[in-house]
Amino acid sequence: MSVWDDFGKLELLWINILNYDNDGYNNHKYATIFGNGKNQATIYIRISDKNKKILIIPDDELLKAVHLVHYTEGKRLNRQGDNSNYKPWVYTNEDLGYAKVISTSNTVKSEVSTYGEYGQVIKLYLHATEPNEGFKISAGIDIPGVGNFNTSEMGTITRNGPEGKTGSAFKYPHFVHIKAITPIDYGSKYNVLVNKGSSEISNKIKISKVGNERQYLKDIFYFNGISKREDISIRPKEIKSNDKNTFKVINVIRDKKANLDTVKFLNNNLPDIIVGMGGGSFLSYFVFVAPQDLVGLMPGSCIYGVEEFTNIVYKYELSQKVTNYGGSDSPNLSSSSPSAAVFILQCNIPLRNVGKFNWYNQNENAVVKMEVIDSYGNSGIITIKSHYGDSSIIDITINEE
């Protein structure tokens, strides 16, 4: 026996576009979306049984029965994989993650409630394969053993009763107008906003002249640190939203992380790149890509350098921890609203002609990628590369083209 065998009457069929506004979830009659397949068209359905009580249909049965149609012509839109009418519009049952609507008008939240308790809600996911000025879309449903119904302008001739033999034709015109604009690809440097901010690290640094085998200390002296930290934030360039213009999802794609055994990293969060370079002074860089927690170096962390002509070894020792915390452009450390960010810690031994001692650059020409998705379903792969030449400064490029 089928659940549809107890069908008595289709009482409500209603379509809206769901969007989250400041006052909560509202439905809208007019909407503009990015054509990325992650917007919800919500279908409200109320069916009564032969005893005039609400008949609950399993979701999988409803998803097979519900479809979208053109409001004026009543023809069906493309379901994913079909080659039917109204390209480039396509819809699917697959939930790819809710995405916001870019703009809306004519809120219709109250209209559904005037019809009393609706029975069930089905969500379909709509997108366009290219920009489109759009048109009016209505809901339809095929009820097994009864016939086809929709909310197009002309409606259907199916009689709204058991087996389609009783009742009257279902005429209930209702639509939403939807328009699609080109999705944003965050793999392009033109679509991301890169902000850089740097600050000095206030840290008394102990520098010791030590034997080549690190066996004894000589000439201990202290230096008020001029080392620096730099935060690079990466955000959507054009999109402004209530979540402070950050990405909704970030997935870091890397080959491996770097490590240095004389350094203790905060929360055991290892950097992506470690590079040491000589010049006017000896600089060591620790680069963290997309940190979602506090990162940095702990007190007692040591970096060793050797003087080129004398072979004297110097130990650079931090007296307090240094982290990526602080500043308006610091990484957003909330896992519910992450920022794409790069944090660079630059440690400085203020001595000329000093290079690395007993350690090596790691991932010095690394390419780290971040797969990002914004609140509107736009996505892309952000590419982060490190470069340096003869200069003693490491350069991080974002989406270099």
Side-chain angles (χ1 to χ4, degrees):
M1 179 178 178
S2 169
V3 66
W4 296 104
D5 291 343
D6 203 24
F7 173 82
K9 183 180 181 181
L10 176 63
E11 296 186 355
L12 175 68
L13 184 62
W14 187 274
I15 182 173
N16 283 305
I17 298 296
L18 186 66
N19 190 44
Y20 186 79
D21 294 335
N22 291 331
D23 58 344
Y25 284 102
N26 286 322
N27 296 293
H28 295 270
K29 194 170 184 177
Y30 294 86
T32 298
I33 66 171
F34 287 105
N36 49 44
K38 297 181 181 179
N39 297 97
Q40 291 176 1
T42 53
I43 312 295
Y44 300 87
I45 305 162
R46 186 171 67 238
I47 298 172
S48 61
D49 62 20
K50 294 174 181 177
N51 295 317
K52 298 183 180 181
K53 295 181 180 180
I54 290 180
L55 178 64
I56 301 300
I57 307 297
D59 284 355
D60 58 343
E61 290 283 338
L62 278 181
L63 284 170
K64 288 188 292 185
V66 172
H67 52 270
L68 302 179
V69 303
H70 188 284
Y71 174 70
T72 304
E73 300 178 9
K75 293 181 180 179
R76 298 192 184 196
L77 272 68
N78 306 329
R79 191 181 289 267
Q80 189 77 44
D82 290 349
N83 293 309
S84 51
N85 307 297
Y86 307 117
K87 292 182 179 180
W89 292 98
V90 182
Y91 69 95
T92 177
N93 302 344
E94 183 181 2
D95 183 353
L96 299 175
Y98 173 68
K100 289 184 178 181
V101 172
I102 187 66
S103 64
T104 55
S105 61
N106 191 8
T107 302
V108 292
K109 182 177 182 180
S110 61
E111 293 186 39
V112 174
S113 63
T114 61
Y115 293 90
E117 289 295 323
Y118 54 81
Q120 293 170 265
V121 177
I122 289 294
K123 297 174 183 177
L124 300 176
Y125 298 85
L126 181 67
H127 72 284
T129 56
E130 59 188 49
N132 188 272
E133 285 302 311
F135 53 84
K136 296 175 181 178
I137 299 172
S138 297
I141 184 170
D142 281 324
I143 297 180
V146 181
N148 179 54
F149 301 89
N150 65 49
T151 63
S152 65
E153 188 173 32
M154 300 304 295
T156 58
I157 61 173
T158 308
R159 300 181 72 178
N160 191 16
E163 299 180 8
K165 295 178 179 179
T166 60
S168 58
F170 186 81
K171 304 284 186 180
Y172 193 68
H174 177 66
F175 68 88
V176 293
H177 186 278
I178 191 125
K179 172 184 176 181
I181 60 177
T182 304
I184 297 174
D185 177 14
Y186 290 113
S188 168
K189 66 180 180 181
Y190 302 106
N191 292 331
V192 294
L193 180 65
V194 179
N195 290 319
K196 297 183 179 182
S198 62
S199 59
E200 289 188 356
I201 299 169
S202 177
N203 197 326
K204 187 172 288 260
I205 298 159
K206 178 180 178 181
I207 299 179
S208 306
K209 188 185 297 183
V210 303
N212 286 351
E213 301 301 325
R214 306 182 191 174
Q215 293 177 345
Y216 57 94
L217 299 179
K218 295 181 180 179
D219 303 333
I220 297 174
F221 59 98
Y222 293 87
F223 176 74
N224 289 323
I226 58 171
S227 299
K228 295 181 180 180
R229 62 181 164 214
E230 182 175 13
D231 290 326
I232 304 174
S233 67
I234 310 166
R235 304 176 186 274
K237 186 174 184 179
E238 300 297 334
I239 302 301
K240 302 294 186 295
S241 63
N242 294 331
D243 54 7
K244 299 182 180 179
N245 204 26
T246 61
F247 291 106
K248 181 180 179 182
V249 175
I250 297 174
N251 177 33
V252 181
I253 305 168
R254 57 169 64 89
D255 289 333
K256 60 180 179 179
K257 289 207 169 191
N259 198 4
L260 185 57
D261 61 5
T262 58
V263 172
K264 182 179 180 181
F265 295 101
L266 182 64
N267 298 325
N268 200 33
N269 287 326
L270 300 179
D272 289 277
I273 302 167
I274 300 176
V275 171
M277 294 184 287
S281 58
F282 176 70
L283 302 175
S284 53
Y285 293 90
F286 300 84
V287 181
F288 302 82
V289 175
Q292 294 306 305
D293 195 356
L294 285 176
V295 295
L297 276 58
M298 294 294 288
S301 293
C302 297
I303 301 161
Y304 287 85
V306 60
E307 197 168 43
E308 181 178 350
F309 301 108
T310 65
N311 290 326
I312 295 174
V313 176
Y314 292 90
K315 180 174 73 170
Y316 171 104
E317 183 177 350
L318 295 179
S319 62
Q320 64 187 58
K321 69 181 177 183
V322 287
T323 76
N324 61 330
Y325 179 77
S328 60
D329 285 324
S330 291
N332 183 334
L333 300 178
S334 169
S335 60
S336 62
S337 184
S339 288
V342 180
F343 170 63
I344 305 171
L345 176 62
Q346 170 197 311
C347 297
N348 177 12
I349 296 179
L351 299 171
R352 293 180 180 272
N353 302 315
V354 171
K356 297 179 290 294
F357 179 75
N358 278 1
W359 61 277
Y360 303 93
N361 293 346
Q362 294 190 45
N363 304 343
E364 56 189 294
N365 292 312
V367 176
V368 182
K369 297 181 179 182
M370 290 188 288
E371 181 182 21
V372 297
I373 304 174
D374 69 15
S375 296
Y376 301 91
N378 297 301
S379 60
I381 303 292
I382 296 175
T383 301
I384 298 157
K385 297 181 181 179
S386 63
H387 304 273
Y388 68 94
D390 295 332
S391 101
S392 60
I393 300 175
I394 192 170
D395 184 32
I396 299 294
T397 59
I398 311 297
N399 285 348
E400 186 180 55
E401 297 180 2

